[in-house]
Amino acid sequence: MGPLRVFRSVDHGRSWDCIDAQVLPDRNGYVPALSMSEHGVTLQHGSHPGRLLRPARVYNAPGAEPPRYACAIFSDDGGTTWHASAPFPEPGTGEGALVELRDGSVYYSARKSCFDATADAFHSRRHAARSRDGGETWQELTTAAALPDGPRYRGEERRGSNFNGHFGMFAGLVRVPENKRDILLYSNADTPTHERVRGTVWASLDGGQSWPVKRLVHEGPFAYSALAAGRPGTPSEGWIYLLFEGGNCYDGGRIARFRLDWVLDGVRTGDGQLG
Protein backbone atom coordinates (compact mmCIF):
# COMPACT_ATOMS: atom_id res chain seq x y z
CA MET A 1 0.00 0.00 0.00
CA GLY A 2 1.06 3.61 -0.52
CA PRO A 3 2.36 5.85 2.26
CA LEU A 4 -0.19 7.29 4.65
CA ARG A 5 -0.62 11.05 4.65
CA VAL A 6 -3.06 13.09 6.72
CA PHE A 7 -4.12 16.56 5.58
CA ARG A 8 -5.91 19.17 7.68
CA SER A 9 -7.84 22.26 6.65
CA VAL A 10 -8.52 25.22 8.95
CA ASP A 11 -10.43 27.28 6.36
CA HIS A 12 -13.40 25.02 5.58
CA GLY A 13 -11.61 23.08 2.83
CA ARG A 14 -10.19 26.00 0.84
CA SER A 15 -6.61 24.88 1.54
CA TRP A 16 -4.95 21.82 3.03
CA ASP A 17 -1.69 21.17 4.88
CA CYS A 18 -0.04 17.81 5.43
CA ILE A 19 0.41 17.14 9.16
CA ASP A 20 2.68 14.75 11.03
CA ALA A 21 0.28 11.95 11.94
CA GLN A 22 0.67 8.36 13.08
CA VAL A 23 -1.53 5.25 12.83
CA LEU A 24 -0.66 2.76 15.56
CA PRO A 25 -0.75 -1.05 15.11
CA ASP A 26 -3.80 -3.01 16.14
CA ARG A 27 -3.83 -5.75 18.77
CA ASN A 28 -2.49 -8.24 16.22
CA GLY A 29 0.46 -6.02 15.37
CA TYR A 30 -0.83 -4.79 12.00
CA VAL A 31 -1.12 -1.16 10.91
CA PRO A 32 -4.49 -0.82 9.16
CA ALA A 33 -4.71 0.39 5.57
CA LEU A 34 -7.16 3.11 4.63
CA SER A 35 -7.66 2.41 0.94
CA MET A 36 -11.09 1.43 -0.39
CA SER A 37 -13.11 2.48 2.66
CA GLU A 38 -16.01 4.93 2.90
CA HIS A 39 -15.65 8.35 4.53
CA GLY A 40 -15.29 8.74 8.28
CA VAL A 41 -17.40 10.61 10.82
CA THR A 42 -16.97 12.87 13.84
CA LEU A 43 -18.81 11.33 16.77
CA GLN A 44 -21.37 13.64 18.37
CA HIS A 45 -23.10 11.45 20.96
CA GLY A 46 -22.17 8.87 23.58
CA SER A 47 -19.02 9.04 25.70
CA HIS A 48 -16.60 10.13 22.94
CA PRO A 49 -17.94 13.37 21.39
CA GLY A 50 -15.45 14.87 18.96
CA ARG A 51 -13.73 11.56 18.22
CA LEU A 52 -12.74 11.07 14.57
CA LEU A 53 -13.69 7.58 13.37
CA ARG A 54 -12.95 6.07 9.99
CA PRO A 55 -13.37 2.57 8.49
CA ALA A 56 -10.12 0.76 7.68
CA ARG A 57 -8.87 -2.74 6.91
CA VAL A 58 -5.98 -5.13 7.44
CA TYR A 59 -4.60 -6.86 4.36
CA ASN A 60 -3.25 -10.37 4.83
CA ALA A 61 -2.54 -12.98 2.20
CA PRO A 62 -5.20 -15.71 1.90
CA GLY A 63 -4.46 -18.39 4.48
CA ALA A 64 -2.57 -16.07 6.83
CA GLU A 65 -3.41 -15.98 10.51
CA PRO A 66 -5.31 -13.99 11.40
CA PRO A 67 -6.99 -13.61 8.00
CA ARG A 68 -7.64 -10.21 6.47
CA TYR A 69 -10.38 -8.26 8.18
CA ALA A 70 -12.18 -4.94 8.36
CA CYS A 71 -11.62 -2.63 11.32
CA ALA A 72 -11.63 1.10 12.10
CA ILE A 73 -9.21 3.76 13.26
CA PHE A 74 -10.06 6.56 15.69
CA SER A 75 -8.42 9.75 16.90
CA ASP A 76 -9.10 11.80 20.03
CA ASP A 77 -6.48 14.47 19.31
CA GLY A 78 -7.79 15.97 16.08
CA GLY A 79 -6.18 13.45 13.73
CA THR A 80 -2.57 13.46 14.92
CA THR A 81 -2.64 10.02 16.57
CA TRP A 82 -4.85 7.21 15.32
CA HIS A 83 -5.61 4.03 17.26
CA ALA A 84 -6.87 0.83 15.66
CA SER A 85 -10.09 -0.81 16.74
CA ALA A 86 -10.57 -4.50 17.38
CA PRO A 87 -11.18 -6.51 14.20
CA PHE A 88 -14.62 -6.60 12.65
CA PRO A 89 -16.22 -9.85 13.91
CA GLU A 90 -16.23 -11.53 10.49
CA PRO A 91 -12.92 -12.52 8.80
CA GLY A 92 -12.33 -11.92 5.12
CA THR A 93 -14.00 -8.51 5.22
CA GLY A 94 -12.96 -5.03 4.16
CA GLU A 95 -14.07 -1.94 2.25
CA GLY A 96 -16.28 -0.89 5.12
CA ALA A 97 -18.60 2.02 5.83
CA LEU A 98 -19.87 3.33 9.15
CA VAL A 99 -22.31 5.84 10.62
CA GLU A 100 -23.12 7.05 14.13
CA LEU A 101 -26.68 6.62 15.40
CA ARG A 102 -28.59 8.91 17.76
CA ASP A 103 -27.89 6.76 20.81
CA GLY A 104 -24.12 7.02 20.26
CA SER A 105 -23.71 3.53 18.86
CA VAL A 106 -21.95 3.01 15.52
CA TYR A 107 -23.30 0.89 12.67
CA TYR A 108 -20.58 -0.70 10.50
CA SER A 109 -21.30 -2.30 7.10
CA ALA A 110 -18.56 -4.39 5.45
CA ARG A 111 -17.89 -6.20 2.21
CA LYS A 112 -16.83 -9.85 2.40
CA SER A 113 -14.38 -10.82 -0.34
CA CYS A 114 -12.67 -13.94 1.03
CA PHE A 115 -14.73 -17.10 1.47
CA ASP A 116 -14.31 -20.74 2.19
CA ALA A 117 -16.22 -21.94 -0.86
CA THR A 118 -17.42 -25.04 1.02
CA ALA A 119 -18.86 -23.09 3.94
CA ASP A 120 -22.50 -22.18 4.45
CA ALA A 121 -21.39 -18.54 4.69
CA PHE A 122 -20.78 -18.35 0.93
CA HIS A 123 -23.69 -16.01 0.33
CA SER A 124 -24.36 -12.57 -1.11
CA ARG A 125 -25.81 -10.82 1.96
CA ARG A 126 -24.10 -7.77 3.42
CA HIS A 127 -22.44 -8.04 6.84
CA ALA A 128 -22.96 -5.48 9.61
CA ALA A 129 -21.87 -5.03 13.22
CA ARG A 130 -22.26 -2.40 15.94
CA SER A 131 -20.07 -0.64 18.46
CA ARG A 132 -21.19 0.66 21.84
CA ASP A 133 -17.80 2.13 22.83
CA GLY A 134 -17.09 4.71 20.17
CA GLY A 135 -15.74 2.31 17.55
CA GLU A 136 -13.17 0.53 19.70
CA THR A 137 -14.83 -2.91 19.53
CA TRP A 138 -17.53 -4.49 17.34
CA GLN A 139 -20.33 -6.87 18.28
CA GLU A 140 -23.84 -7.92 17.19
CA LEU A 141 -22.76 -9.34 13.85
CA THR A 142 -25.65 -9.70 11.41
CA THR A 143 -26.32 -10.15 7.72
CA ALA A 144 -29.05 -8.05 6.15
CA ALA A 145 -31.51 -10.19 4.23
CA ALA A 146 -32.54 -7.29 1.99
CA LEU A 147 -29.05 -5.93 1.26
CA PRO A 148 -26.88 -7.59 -1.37
CA ASP A 149 -23.11 -7.37 -1.04
CA GLY A 150 -22.74 -6.54 -4.72
CA PRO A 151 -24.02 -8.87 -7.49
CA ARG A 152 -25.74 -11.91 -6.00
CA TYR A 153 -24.10 -14.54 -8.24
CA ARG A 154 -22.02 -16.91 -6.08
CA GLY A 155 -21.09 -19.65 -8.52
CA GLU A 156 -17.65 -21.00 -9.27
CA GLU A 157 -17.65 -20.14 -12.97
CA ARG A 158 -15.55 -17.10 -13.81
CA ARG A 159 -17.50 -15.35 -16.53
CA GLY A 160 -18.53 -11.94 -17.70
CA SER A 161 -16.67 -8.67 -18.04
CA ASN A 162 -15.91 -8.56 -14.33
CA PHE A 163 -15.79 -12.06 -12.93
CA ASN A 164 -14.76 -11.01 -9.43
CA GLY A 165 -18.09 -9.21 -9.10
CA HIS A 166 -19.43 -12.22 -7.19
CA PHE A 167 -17.11 -11.56 -4.26
CA GLY A 168 -18.86 -8.51 -2.87
CA MET A 169 -18.37 -4.85 -3.67
CA PHE A 170 -17.50 -1.53 -2.05
CA ALA A 171 -20.77 0.16 -1.09
CA GLY A 172 -21.99 3.56 0.05
CA LEU A 173 -23.56 4.28 3.44
CA VAL A 174 -24.82 7.50 5.00
CA ARG A 175 -27.11 8.66 7.79
CA VAL A 176 -29.62 11.29 6.74
CA PRO A 177 -29.53 14.37 9.04
CA GLU A 178 -32.72 13.85 11.04
CA ASN A 179 -33.24 14.26 14.78
CA LYS A 180 -36.18 11.92 15.36
CA ARG A 181 -35.13 8.77 13.47
CA ASP A 182 -31.98 6.99 12.37
CA ILE A 183 -32.54 7.01 8.61
CA LEU A 184 -29.75 5.23 6.74
CA LEU A 185 -29.15 4.87 3.00
CA TYR A 186 -27.08 2.13 1.39
CA SER A 187 -25.96 1.86 -2.25
CA ASN A 188 -24.84 -1.15 -4.26
CA ALA A 189 -25.62 -3.22 -7.36
CA ASP A 190 -28.97 -5.00 -7.33
CA THR A 191 -28.81 -7.97 -9.69
CA PRO A 192 -28.95 -11.78 -9.46
CA THR A 193 -26.23 -11.99 -12.11
CA HIS A 194 -22.45 -11.70 -11.85
CA GLU A 195 -22.26 -8.27 -13.50
CA ARG A 196 -21.83 -4.98 -11.69
CA VAL A 197 -24.97 -3.22 -12.91
CA ARG A 198 -28.27 -1.75 -11.65
CA GLY A 199 -27.11 0.75 -9.06
CA THR A 200 -29.71 0.92 -6.32
CA VAL A 201 -30.23 2.75 -3.03
CA TRP A 202 -31.90 1.09 -0.02
CA ALA A 203 -33.40 2.96 2.95
CA SER A 204 -33.62 1.99 6.62
CA LEU A 205 -35.78 3.96 9.04
CA ASP A 206 -34.57 2.18 12.19
CA GLY A 207 -30.79 2.43 12.17
CA GLY A 208 -30.10 -0.60 10.01
CA GLN A 209 -32.43 -3.09 11.73
CA SER A 210 -34.54 -3.41 8.58
CA TRP A 211 -34.40 -2.13 5.00
CA PRO A 212 -38.01 -1.91 3.75
CA VAL A 213 -37.61 0.03 0.50
CA LYS A 214 -35.20 0.42 -2.41
CA ARG A 215 -35.03 2.49 -5.59
CA LEU A 216 -33.10 1.94 -8.79
CA VAL A 217 -30.81 4.87 -9.62
CA HIS A 218 -28.86 3.67 -12.65
CA GLU A 219 -29.71 0.69 -14.87
CA GLY A 220 -26.30 0.37 -16.52
CA PRO A 221 -22.77 -0.37 -15.27
CA PHE A 222 -22.40 0.38 -11.58
CA ALA A 223 -19.33 -0.52 -9.52
CA TYR A 224 -17.92 1.15 -6.40
CA SER A 225 -20.11 3.88 -4.89
CA ALA A 226 -20.20 6.40 -2.07
CA LEU A 227 -23.04 8.36 -0.46
CA ALA A 228 -23.18 11.79 1.18
CA ALA A 229 -26.02 13.82 2.66
CA GLY A 230 -26.44 17.57 2.31
CA ARG A 231 -25.67 19.71 5.34
CA PRO A 232 -28.52 21.53 7.10
CA GLY A 233 -28.44 25.29 6.70
CA THR A 234 -26.68 25.17 3.34
CA PRO A 235 -27.91 24.98 -0.27
CA SER A 236 -27.25 21.22 -0.12
CA GLU A 237 -29.79 20.66 2.66
CA GLY A 238 -32.22 17.84 1.86
CA TRP A 239 -30.22 16.43 -1.03
CA ILE A 240 -28.55 13.02 -1.18
CA TYR A 241 -25.49 12.61 -3.40
CA LEU A 242 -24.42 9.28 -4.91
CA LEU A 243 -20.98 9.05 -6.52
CA PHE A 244 -20.40 5.84 -8.50
CA GLU A 245 -18.22 4.21 -11.12
CA GLY A 246 -20.17 3.86 -14.33
CA GLY A 247 -19.83 3.90 -18.08
CA ASN A 248 -17.80 1.52 -20.23
CA CYS A 249 -15.58 -0.49 -17.88
CA TYR A 250 -16.09 2.22 -15.24
CA ASP A 251 -14.36 4.91 -17.28
CA GLY A 252 -15.23 7.66 -14.84
CA GLY A 253 -17.16 8.78 -11.81
CA ARG A 254 -20.77 9.87 -12.08
CA ILE A 255 -22.98 11.69 -9.60
CA ALA A 256 -26.69 11.28 -9.01
CA ARG A 257 -28.64 13.69 -6.81
CA PHE A 258 -32.03 12.98 -5.25
CA ARG A 259 -34.10 13.49 -2.11
CA LEU A 260 -35.14 11.03 0.56
CA ASP A 261 -38.81 11.11 -0.47
CA TRP A 262 -37.80 9.90 -3.93
CA VAL A 263 -36.14 6.82 -2.39
CA LEU A 264 -39.08 6.15 -0.06
CA ASP A 265 -41.39 6.09 -3.07
CA GLY A 266 -39.51 3.08 -4.41
CA VAL A 267 -40.09 -0.69 -4.34
CA ARG A 268 -40.89 -2.49 -1.10
CA THR A 269 -38.40 -5.20 -0.17
CA GLY A 270 -40.54 -7.07 2.38
CA ASP A 271 -37.94 -6.42 5.09
CA GLY A 272 -39.77 -4.43 7.76
CA GLN A 273 -42.38 -1.70 7.64
CA LEU A 274 -42.05 1.66 5.93
CA GLY A 275 -44.43 3.53 8.24
Side-chain angles (χ1 to χ4, degrees):
M1 305 306 297
L4 171 68
R5 293 190 179 96
V6 176
F7 291 82
R8 178 183 293 156
S9 175
V10 295
D11 56 8
H12 302 286
R14 293 182 179 87
S15 63
W16 297 84
D17 294 312
C18 186
I19 66 172
D20 185 15
Q22 182 182 23
V23 178
L24 302 175
D26 71 356
R27 69 186 189 188
N28 295 317
Y30 297 106
V31 176
L34 306 184
S35 60
M36 301 303 175
S37 297
E38 255 279 33
H39 58 78
V41 298
T42 301
L43 299 185
Q44 302 178 36
H45 310 290
S47 57
H48 300 282
R51 168 174 285 181
L52 305 180
L53 181 66
R54 188 191 190 283
R57 64 192 303 186
V58 168
Y59 287 93
N60 281 332
E65 288 296 335
R68 61 184 66 183
Y69 48 85
C71 61
I73 59 171
F74 58 90
S75 174
D76 293 318
D77 61 5
T80 300
T81 307
W82 294 85
H83 302 269
S85 77
F88 188 84
E90 174 72 18
T93 48
E95 298 186 0
L98 56 81
V99 292
E100 183 187 25
L101 305 182
R102 291 179 305 150
D103 64 359
S105 64
V106 180
Y107 176 88
Y108 194 133
S109 173
R111 170 189 182 180
K112 186 172 175 67
S113 57
C114 296
F115 288 89
D116 176 356
T118 64
D120 292 339
F122 194 64
H123 58 72
S124 63
R125 297 187 302 276
R126 187 76 172 185
H127 286 79
R130 297 177 188 266
S131 174
R132 309 281 179 181
D133 55 12
E136 297 179 20
T137 61
W138 306 96
Q139 301 84 30
E140 304 173 47
L141 179 69
T142 60
T143 58
L147 296 187
D149 190 11
R152 291 182 177 85
Y153 173 73
R154 286 297 185 274
E156 294 299 320
E157 182 184 357
R158 294 187 173 189
R159 55 192 173 91
S161 63
N162 195 340
F163 62 77
N164 75 341
H166 63 275
F167 288 112
M169 193 162 70
F170 182 104
L173 179 71
V174 71
R175 181 183 181 275
V176 177
E178 219 265 21
N179 294 326
K180 296 181 180 180
R181 294 180 294 178
D182 283 315
I183 301 177
L184 310 184
L185 298 178
Y186 170 84
S187 61
N188 213 319
D190 187 20
T191 172
T193 72
H194 58 284
E195 299 287 2
R196 290 175 166 178
V197 295
R198 290 184 52 80
T200 300
V201 172
W202 288 256
S204 171
L205 307 182
D206 55 12
Q209 299 288 347
S210 63
W211 299 85
V213 64
K214 64 181 180 180
R215 183 126 192 200
L216 178 68
V217 178
H218 181 66
E219 181 73 40
F222 185 95
Y224 285 17
S225 62
L227 282 164
R231 189 171 62 181
T234 73
S236 68
E237 182 174 6
W239 289 102
I240 309 298
Y241 300 88
L242 171 65
L243 172 66
F244 64 94
E245 294 178 303
N248 183 23
C249 293
Y250 326 132
D251 57 5
R254 302 187 178 189
I255 294 178
R257 186 180 74 163
F258 45 84
R259 295 187 180 273
L260 176 63
D261 287 347
W262 181 82
V263 179
L264 299 183
D265 195 33
V267 177
R268 300 293 181 91
T269 67
D271 180 35
Q273 299 298 317
L274 192 57

